Amino acid sequence: MKLPAVAIAATFAGGIVLGSQHFFLSRFSAVLGLRVLFFFALLAVSFGVGLALKNHLRAAVATSLVSWVVLGMISACVAGQPLPPDHVLTLLNADRLDLSTPLRWQGRLRDEPRRLPWGYGTDVDLNTVDFNGDSLPVRGGMRLTYVPRADGGAALPELRAGDQVTFVAKARLPVIYRDDGAFNRRAYLAQQGIHLNAALRAAELMGRNSTSPATPRYWIARARTRLRDTLDALFPEAPETAAILRAMLLGDRTFVDRDESKNFQITGTYHVLVVAGLHVTALAVFLFWGGQALRLPQSVLSLLTLALLLSYVSIVEQRPPVLRAALMAGIVVFGRMLFRRLDLLNSAALAALLILLAQPLEIFDPSFHFSFLAMGCIGGIAAPWLAHTVEPYARALRGWRDVTRDGSHPPRQAQLRIDLRSLQTQVAARFSARGAHWTGNGAVSLLSFSFRVWEIFVLSLVMQIGMLPLMAQQFHRITLAGPFANLVAVPLTTILVPLGFLSLGAGLVVRPIAHLLAFPLIWLTSLLVHLTNWFAHLPRWSYRIPGPRFWLLVLFFCLLATVAAAARLRATLALRTCVAILLICGALIALHPFPPETIFGKLEVTALDVAQGDSLFVVSPQGKTMLIDSGGAFGGFRPQEHYAGLDPGEEAVSPYLWSRGFQRLDIVALTHAHQDHIGGLTAILENFPVGQLWIGREVSSAAQLALEELARRKNIPIQHERRGNAMDWDGVRIQVLWPEIAPEEFALSAKNNDSLVLRFTFGKRVILLPGDIEKQAEREIAAETPQDALRANVLKVGHHGSKNSTLEEFLDRVQPQVAIISAGADNPYGHPSPEVLERLERAGVRVFRTDLNGAIHVLTDGERVEVYCYVACAAEVPRRPLGEAGSPDEDENPQH
């Protein structure tokens, strides 16, 4: 077997996936138990050894692989065991802990308190929590942030990694959006050991109980902080350079500007900002070069390289790309010590196996997929192809003047050497020997440079094609400029990383030398950023798409594996055939010529979970689309209001639309320019072609003015809607009930009562969407609207269920049977108000809430109304039959 590690890693990973399935965990493992599985694995190993001793090698190999599958299943079962009884999530699920009020927590600082753009942050390993007069032992991790007051106030105590601290804070679970396709940030943080978030309101609420113990873990944390501080001190006048180098050298992307980070994503060069194989390889090569320059013995050089790589991995983020690259570098170094040269695929597979043995559930981490898929593309396709095309010519350039070496090269490469010497002879005959010498060296250097550029281009192109499905599935982005942008980014990174570490090392010892090295670092980093920005602004070189269909994903990766096998076996015909089919599959993924998922003949209104905000997605019976609002990112932290937190438009609404296959929107409507409605619309206009932008009242709001400017740049018509406007939209009657404004009327600031109020009528069923209007607008609408023209079967409750909205007289006029409330879980405003919930209950209205039910889908064919929820709908919600607006039919009930 030429690739034993690949086979072992693949079967072990397959066992983990099989063992992680719900049916296996709940039934098979419960019946047999881990002991029986372990016994079966031991029996398989013994049987395989027996077959090998009897020289039945194929049967022995098959039996060995079966044992690895069973070991993978065992690892998955062990890793999937329930959390301990004192874990914070277990306590919350058992209602033994309530996070509705601030609590006193105790724990040990996992890391040094780190500086953030808006304040400070640290991670705490929890020990105890005071609740209901008791001190409960608790496990789990909390990410604690502190934003200094604008007027200064007390400073945080001097804290170090490992200190035992006590603090009072109101903790909460990380925010998640319960919509199809949305990113599960809670699971992502749980992989890092973070289960709660909390904000420290005042520095006086935290105190240190004891100092940190002297352990390597905390020494490393202090070293990490010292390196960050040193890097910041080297670039006091160039914080942008420090931010990029923090990301490239230390894995800390906290200070990278969001727009710059997005440009790296658009150009397919985001791997430059993520410490991974390129960075570790550049560092390892630099260490080898330095050791050889110092004439260190091979054994000393290898051990020193391994030690420095281990130290580096300890300091930066320990994610799969970093671990993979460091393990592979360690395997290569160890192989050199034993005078062995390992296959690239075997090295990568061995690194994957070691990671999975330590953390089996990493198999489900997208970064694990990207990291090892990239290595598979390089080692399985690009490297074999280059080895048979470009590399023989590159090797032929070595010692090209030596005639005696010609025979060791194939005919074409030998001919290249002869041609180069012939060129040198002709130049010498016409000019001079010195000119011929320089001409020959120049031609060889140009050829060598061209070969290296071509290698980088091929590697980048193969990785871009190979990772196309994952890029489309995880990031919904197609990047056409990637192979070209990497021609610049990769060489610059291979220079920046060694030079950056050299500057860091000098900064720790001799600061003046470090400042001298900082000048070329500033120039090179600026060059990298400017070139990336230039590529990012090339029109139509990057676009967003829905994720690929599952069958297409499976077919693509099967073909990719076949191409890799054919490339190694030099099966030319099979290789060309599979490459052609693979490119067709890639084109299908990149173009996504599949229709979106719609329900023909029904009007659909979906209230998306965007935390504390509003976003409604409407699909007409014939498939036309309208998005009303898109939630909004957090406004910012004092004193840096430019900082924006989570963006629901990018992380919730867009993924939901892509999950259903939508690639364009016919109408985007903004109810009013408050942040929790307008904040996500920038991402929507950037991610989707939009037919029209609807706006109610014009407002001198920076957010609305920026949105309109973006719409004009993208040639999106802006249409102002006001009371009295109506249209037939694909079989649906849309009426604008509010605001009542003159065309030229302009407001100085956005107000809830300026919200766009829309009424959808399809057949006998009506849906009313009143935005954030409050009692004043409700009364005016009720007074100016005929008796039957305000009734609706479904009401989206105004202003997230605020007590100042949805008054009894308004409910009496609307007479809804179903109400939808869009509000964030544990929001600071107390939405929905108990008073509103009581009014709805008295009116016999069935209530659905995004904070409890996630996304809420309302479907109607004009006769019946159906309601479906992302999370099971609450059983205690009162039921009432649905029918004509104001005249219920007893035989029709909402379904969920």
Side-chain angles (χ1 to χ4, degrees):
M1 185 179 292
K2 294 184 178 180
L3 298 173
V6 174
I8 292 172
T11 51
F12 185 70
I16 294 174
V17 173
L18 180 62
S20 301
Q21 299 305 308
H22 176 72
F23 76 91
F24 179 83
L25 289 174
S26 61
R27 298 178 185 177
F28 189 68
S29 62
V31 175
L32 296 181
L34 293 178
R35 294 181 182 178
V36 177
L37 284 175
F38 182 76
F39 175 77
F40 181 79
L42 186 62
L43 183 64
V45 172
S46 303
F47 187 63
V49 171
L51 290 172
L53 293 176
K54 292 184 177 182
N55 209 26
H56 298 301
L57 296 182
R58 291 186 178 180
V61 169
T63 306
S64 173
L65 294 180
V66 169
S67 66
W68 278 105
V69 172
V70 177
L71 288 174
M73 295 166 66
I74 295 173
S75 301
C77 291
V78 173
Q81 292 298 306
L83 294 172
D86 60 346
H87 196 278
V88 64
L89 297 182
T90 306
L91 296 175
L92 288 172
N93 291 332
D95 293 328
R96 295 172 54 197
L97 188 64
D98 184 7
L99 301 180
S100 59
T101 59
L103 301 174
R104 182 178 299 277
W105 304 83
Q106 291 188 26
R108 192 173 294 277
L109 297 188
R110 185 184 301 177
D111 203 348
E112 296 277 289
R114 57 190 178 278
R115 187 170 60 87
L116 303 172
W118 58 90
Y120 298 91
T122 188
D123 296 338
V124 184
D125 290 322
L126 300 173
N127 302 135
T128 60
V129 57
D130 294 344
F131 180 67
N132 285 343
D134 295 329
S135 182
L136 301 177
V138 64
R139 299 189 207 179
M142 178 184 293
R143 181 153 291 171
L144 186 66
T145 58
Y146 171 64
V147 182
R149 296 201 303 266
D151 58 355
L156 285 173
E158 190 71 26
L159 299 173
R160 308 302 301 266
D163 286 352
Q164 183 76 20
V165 296
T166 299
F167 57 94
V168 177
K170 183 179 179 180
R172 60 179 299 175
L173 294 168
V175 174
I176 57 172
Y177 301 115
R178 287 166 295 185
D179 308 300
D180 291 321
F183 175 61
N184 192 339
R185 185 172 298 276
R186 192 171 295 175
Y188 171 75
L189 291 175
Q191 290 179 340
Q192 305 174 38
I194 301 299
H195 307 97
L196 296 176
N197 289 330
L200 192 68
R201 295 298 182 183
E204 296 87 349
L205 297 176
M206 171 175 274
R208 182 172 63 181
N209 301 338
S210 62
T211 57
S212 62
T215 62
R217 174 185 177 184
Y218 300 124
W219 293 342
I220 292 171
R222 294 179 185 180
R224 184 185 300 119
T225 299
R226 187 178 179 188
L227 287 174
R228 290 172 178 170
D229 293 342
T230 301
L231 194 59
D232 291 340
L234 291 177
F235 305 97
E237 304 299 327
E240 297 84 2
T241 299
I244 295 294
L245 290 176
R246 262 178 171 250
M248 295 180 66
L249 303 179
L250 304 177
D252 180 10
R253 297 184 293 277
T254 306
F255 287 85
V256 178
D257 182 76
R258 177 167 288 185
D259 291 335
E260 287 185 356
S261 177
K262 182 180 177 181
N263 287 339
F264 278 95
Q265 295 174 14
I266 290 174
T267 56
T269 57
Y270 190 71
H271 61 93
V272 167
L273 297 181
V274 180
V275 177
L278 178 62
H279 306 71
V280 175
T281 301
L283 177 60
V285 170
F286 174 71
L287 292 175
F288 257 94
W289 174 82
Q292 290 177 344
L294 295 174
R295 300 183 181 276
L296 295 177
Q298 184 67 35
S299 58
V300 174
L301 177 58
S302 298
L303 292 175
L304 180 62
T305 303
L306 286 174
L308 291 175
L309 287 177
L310 178 62
S311 302
Y312 178 59
V313 172
S314 302
I315 288 175
V316 301
E317 54 179 353
Q318 297 178 22
R319 302 290 292 159
V322 183
L323 294 175
R324 184 264 304 164
L327 285 172
M328 287 186 62
I331 291 169
V332 171
V333 171
F334 188 71
R336 286 175 62 92
M337 292 176 63
L338 300 178
F339 304 100
R340 295 289 186 272
R341 186 174 182 179
L342 300 178
D343 187 281
L344 183 61
L345 285 183
N346 265 334
S347 302
L350 187 56
L353 182 62
L354 293 174
I355 292 175
L356 293 178
L357 285 171
Q359 297 177 323
L361 297 185
E362 284 290 339
I363 190 67
F364 300 108
D365 188 345
S367 64
F368 182 92
H369 304 159
F370 278 104
S371 179
F372 286 98
L373 179 59
M375 292 310 303
C377 291
I378 294 173
I381 299 176
W385 189 82
L386 290 172
H388 298 117
T389 54
V390 176
E391 288 185 5
Y393 290 95
R395 287 194 299 268
L397 296 178
R398 300 170 189 166
W400 60 278
R401 289 190 176 93
D402 189 351
V403 179
T404 61
R405 296 187 183 182
D406 289 355
S408 63
H409 296 280
R412 291 185 178 180
Q413 287 74 40
Q415 184 63 47
L416 175 64
R417 296 167 60 89
I418 294 171
D419 291 342
L420 288 172
R421 290 196 297 269
S422 175
L423 174 65
Q424 181 174 341
T425 302
Q426 293 177 13
V427 173
R430 294 189 178 185
F431 299 101
S432 64
R434 177 175 295 181
H437 181 80
W438 284 103
T439 300
N441 287 344
V444 170
S445 298
L446 180 61
L447 283 173
S448 179
F449 176 76
S450 301
F451 291 152
R452 297 309 174 197
V453 170
W454 177 249
E455 287 178 354
I456 294 174
F457 178 80
V458 169
L459 289 173
S460 178
L461 180 63
V462 170
M463 284 195 294
Q464 292 286 335
I465 294 175
M467 293 194 292
L468 178 66
L470 288 187
M471 291 292 294
Q473 184 184 48
Q474 296 292 333
F475 302 113
H476 302 282
R477 185 179 294 282
I478 298 297
T479 301
L480 302 178
F484 305 98
N486 278 294
L487 288 177
V488 177
V490 171
L492 282 176
T493 302
T494 57
I495 299 172
L496 278 168
V497 170
L499 185 59
F501 279 111
L502 195 61
S503 302
L504 267 178
L508 296 173
V509 182
V510 186
R511 188 61 62 88
I513 296 179
H515 282 292
L516 290 176
L517 295 173
F519 286 109
L521 273 176
I522 294 175
W523 185 83
L524 289 171
T525 306
S526 299
L527 178 63
L528 174 64
V529 172
H530 281 91
L531 289 173
T532 301
N533 293 342
W534 183 80
F535 277 108
H537 287 89
L538 291 176
R540 294 182 292 276
W541 279 78
S542 178
Y543 58 93
R544 311 300 292 271
I545 61 165
R549 301 292 176 89
F550 180 74
W551 64 266
L552 188 56
L553 199 69
V554 173
L555 177 60
F556 184 94
F557 284 123
C558 288
L559 287 167
L560 194 68
T562 306
V563 167
R568 283 183 165 265
L569 297 174
R570 302 189 188 182
T572 306
L573 181 59
L575 178 62
R576 291 177 178 176
T577 303
C578 291
V579 167
I581 302 174
L582 182 72
L583 293 178
I584 293 174
C585 291
L588 289 176
I589 293 172
L591 299 175
H592 196 85
F594 307 105
E597 297 177 8
T598 59
I599 302 176
F600 183 80
K602 291 187 178 182
L603 173 65
E604 174 190 349
V605 177
T606 300
L608 295 172
D609 178 13
V610 289
Q612 184 62 18
D614 260 17
S615 184
L616 299 163
F617 181 55
V618 185
V619 183
S620 76
Q622 306 298 322
K624 288 189 177 181
T625 55
M626 176 189 296
L627 180 70
I628 305 170
D629 297 332
S630 188
F634 180 63
F637 289 103
R638 295 185 305 269
Q640 296 186 337
E641 301 293 336
H642 67 276
Y643 172 76
L646 304 182
D647 183 354
E650 178 67 32
E651 298 193 31
V653 181
S654 293
Y656 172 77
L657 297 176
W658 287 321
S659 72
R660 295 185 53 182
F662 288 100
Q663 300 189 66
R664 72 180 310 275
L665 294 167
D666 295 296
I667 299 172
V668 169
L670 170 65
T671 56
H672 64 299
H674 279 167
Q675 182 68 17
D676 57 340
H677 293 250
I678 195 176
L681 286 181
T682 298
I684 297 300
L685 265 59
E686 290 176 344
N687 293 338
F688 297 89
V690 175
Q692 292 180 353
L693 175 63
W694 286 9
I695 292 175
R697 189 184 299 274
E698 279 286 355
V699 179
S700 60
S701 157
Q704 182 165 327
L705 294 176
L707 184 70
E708 294 181 19
E709 176 61 26
L710 177 61
R712 281 188 284 269
R713 287 204 310 269
K714 291 185 170 291
N715 298 317
I716 301 172
I718 300 175
Q719 183 169 321
H720 292 82
E721 297 291 342
R722 61 184 184 274
R723 178 177 175 83
N725 289 0
M727 64 178 291
D728 288 323
W729 183 62
D730 208 21
V732 179
R733 180 69 173 171
I734 301 179
Q735 298 168 279
V736 182
L737 305 184
W738 199 258
E740 190 169 25
I741 55 174
E744 68 280 359
E745 190 171 345
F746 195 89
L748 297 178
S749 62
K751 297 180 176 62
N752 288 328
N753 280 326
D754 290 336
S755 293
L756 198 63
V757 178
L758 301 175
R759 187 173 186 261
F760 293 78
T761 304
F762 179 54
K764 299 177 182 179
R765 298 296 177 254
V766 180
I767 299 174
L768 182 62
L769 310 176
D772 272 5
I773 61 169
E774 297 178 335
K775 53 187 178 183
Q776 177 186 348
E778 287 183 354
R779 287 167 178 159
E780 292 188 33
I781 292 173
E784 299 176 13
T785 304
Q787 182 68 29
D788 294 334
L790 197 55
R791 289 178 177 174
N793 300 88
V794 180
L795 170 69
K796 200 287 294 184
V797 174
H799 197 196
H800 320 290
S802 165
K803 65 180 180 180
N804 293 321
S805 300
T806 323
L807 301 181
E808 289 188 3
E809 51 265 40
F810 188 73
L811 277 175
D812 290 340
R813 289 293 306 277
V814 177
Q815 297 185 10
Q817 288 83 50
V818 171
I820 297 172
I821 300 177
S822 181
D826 301 323
N827 66 83
Y829 310 104
H831 295 160
S833 166
E835 299 176 25
V836 172
L837 295 177
E838 185 179 348
R839 293 173 202 160
L840 293 169
E841 183 178 2
R842 285 199 305 266
V845 182
R846 184 168 189 191
V847 178
F848 298 89
R849 297 165 47 176
T850 59
D851 59 333
L852 300 179
N853 306 122
I856 301 164
H857 310 275
V858 178
L859 297 171
T860 178
D861 59 0
E863 296 290 339
R864 293 175 53 85
V865 175
E866 303 167 284
V867 181
Y868 301 89
C869 304
Y870 183 85
V871 181
C873 300
E876 66 271 11
V877 175
R879 294 177 178 269
R880 181 180 176 184
L882 298 176
E884 301 279 359
S887 58
D889 297 331
E890 294 296 335
D891 61 339
E892 297 182 1
N893 293 287
Q895 301 175 8
H896 57 88

